Amino acid sequence: MREIPLSPNCEATLAAVEADPLDPGRDAELHMKTCTACAEARVIYLAQEEPPGILVPAGYFDRLPGRVLGKLPARRSLAHHARGLYWAAAAALLMAVGAGAFWAGRANRTPLVEATMPKPADTVEVMVPEAPFRDRDEEAAQIQSLSPEEMKALLERLDHPSAPSKR
């Protein structure tokens, strides 16, 4: 490749741009206003420079995970979930004990006090309750249908109420 010869003004301007592309000097600035090749060369030198590092406060990246976790929704711990399970187990236990006691009380009911008292053997009587709507006319009709022997036995029983009946 052949080199293209440069004018002395361009060589001086390029040397000043290589030394300090931000402030090449007054003469180089005047030359770059008229020479587009030197102005483009300065832009290329400025583009090739490394940008300065971003300045962050000390410890910024050390505290970053904690700050990110602080912005996330809170996770509940296992102890928090276990507390609810303990309450549920206690409620189930109370319900089981209560239901067991209820059913045990229903199964082992003792009879009423009157029914548990012993009856004396000599005073046992057979009581036949009267029908609540029994008509007295029926009894009179039954007396008329008795035979003469049954009528005589009935009159004797009525005369002597303490005598046992012979039926």
Side-chain angles (χ1 to χ4, degrees):
M1 267 180 107
R2 286 183 3 190
E3 281 191 36
I4 301 176
L6 295 176
S7 70
N9 286 339
C10 285
E11 285 182 11
T13 301
L14 290 177
V17 167
E18 283 181 33
D20 187 12
L22 292 174
D23 188 20
R26 186 170 181 251
D27 292 333
E29 290 281 340
L30 289 175
H31 175 73
M32 283 188 278
K33 286 185 181 179
T34 58
C35 180
T36 57
C38 290
E40 288 177 7
R42 180 181 182 199
V43 170
I44 291 171
Y45 271 110
L46 287 172
Q48 289 179 356
E49 273 191 10
E50 285 187 30
I54 298 173
L55 300 175
V56 295
Y60 175 81
F61 292 107
D62 296 334
R63 294 187 311 263
L64 184 62
R67 289 189 359 235
V68 170
L69 285 175
K71 291 182 180 183
L72 293 175
R75 292 186 299 179
R76 292 184 177 171
S77 66
L78 182 61
H80 180 74
H81 291 295
R83 190 178 324 141
L85 291 175
Y86 289 142
W87 277 109
L93 180 66
L94 283 175
M95 285 176 46
V97 168
F102 174 76
W103 288 110
R106 287 185 56 93
N108 294 327
R109 272 197 180 159
T110 57
L112 296 175
V113 175
E114 292 87 20
T116 59
M117 294 176 58
K119 289 187 177 184
D122 58 345
T123 61
V124 176
E125 294 180 10
V126 178
M127 302 271 302
V128 178
E130 272 189 36
F133 301 107
R134 192 168 178 184
D135 192 11
R136 298 287 180 197
D137 293 335
E138 291 177 15
E139 292 175 1
Q142 288 178 359
I143 291 175
Q144 292 174 357
S145 65
L146 292 177
S147 66
E149 294 90 28
E150 291 175 336
M151 181 69 85
K152 205 182 246 189
L154 179 63
L155 288 174
E156 287 178 13
R157 252 192 4 216
L158 289 175
D159 287 339
H160 307 291
S162 63
S165 65
K166 298 180 182 178
R167 265 199 172 179

